[in-house]
Amino acid sequence: MSAPDIFSIGVLSERSGVNIETIRYYERAGLLQKPARSPGGYRLYRTVDVTRLSFIRRARDLGFSLDEIRHLLDLADQKSRSCRRVHDIGLTHLTEVRAKIRDLRRMEGILATMVKACANGTMPTCPLLEVLASA
């Protein structure tokens, strides 16, 4: 592991910001290629793995599913990329994000009302607990 372009899973974790168990999970899920191994059996990674793992981490941060990420990675790996297919994945995800935002805004209103009702002190019944119990 003396070559600067070859490093351990710990270094990959540091460089990508992804913990070691998650890296192993992504390998099992097929998002990262199985790495080469040292004579002692240690995983050996390259700079390209940092780039790919950073892509995966950022996509996860944006809420893309593993299947969506797998599809995006497949498209990124192709020599001739189809911007249309990437656009379609992005558009589908944008629609889902907007729906979640609408749901969160509704939830915010309901929670604000319940918290306000509970701010009145002790009551025989708590509106917040009642609403949560009825869901």
Side-chain angles (χ1 to χ4, degrees):
M1 282 196 292
S2 60
D5 191 47
I6 299 174
F7 42 85
S8 69
I9 195 168
V11 173
L12 177 63
S13 176
E14 289 173 19
R15 290 184 183 179
S16 66
V18 177
N19 76 47
I20 292 171
E21 287 306 314
T22 303
I23 293 169
R24 291 179 182 139
Y25 172 75
Y26 289 156
E27 286 174 12
R28 288 189 306 273
L31 297 175
L32 283 176
Q33 289 184 354
K34 298 286 184 195
R37 298 278 184 154
S38 72
Y42 293 101
R43 290 173 166 91
L44 301 175
Y45 296 94
R46 304 181 69 89
T47 303
V48 68
D49 297 313
V50 175
T51 302
R52 190 171 184 94
L53 194 52
S54 296
F55 178 98
I56 295 167
R57 182 182 48 78
R58 184 67 181 131
R60 291 295 289 157
D61 288 347
L62 293 172
F64 284 95
S65 70
L66 292 183
D67 285 337
E68 290 170 326
I69 294 169
R70 185 176 292 105
H71 197 84
L72 289 169
L73 287 168
D74 289 344
L75 291 170
D77 290 342
Q78 294 175 7
K79 295 284 185 208
S80 68
R81 297 179 180 151
S82 169
C83 237
R84 181 65 189 173
R85 287 197 264 162
V86 173
H87 170 269
D88 292 345
I89 294 168
L91 184 59
T92 299
H93 190 65
L94 177 61
T95 302
E96 292 168 2
V97 166
R98 286 179 173 158
K100 287 177 186 176
I101 289 170
R102 282 191 303 275
D103 288 344
L104 286 170
R105 286 188 178 133
R106 275 195 304 271
M107 187 184 311
E108 177 188 28
I110 292 167
L111 283 171
T113 301
M114 290 187 310
V115 167
K116 184 177 179 183
C118 285
N120 296 330
T122 57
M123 300 170 60
T125 60
C126 175
L128 179 57
L129 294 177
E130 285 181 9
V131 169
L132 292 173
S134 68

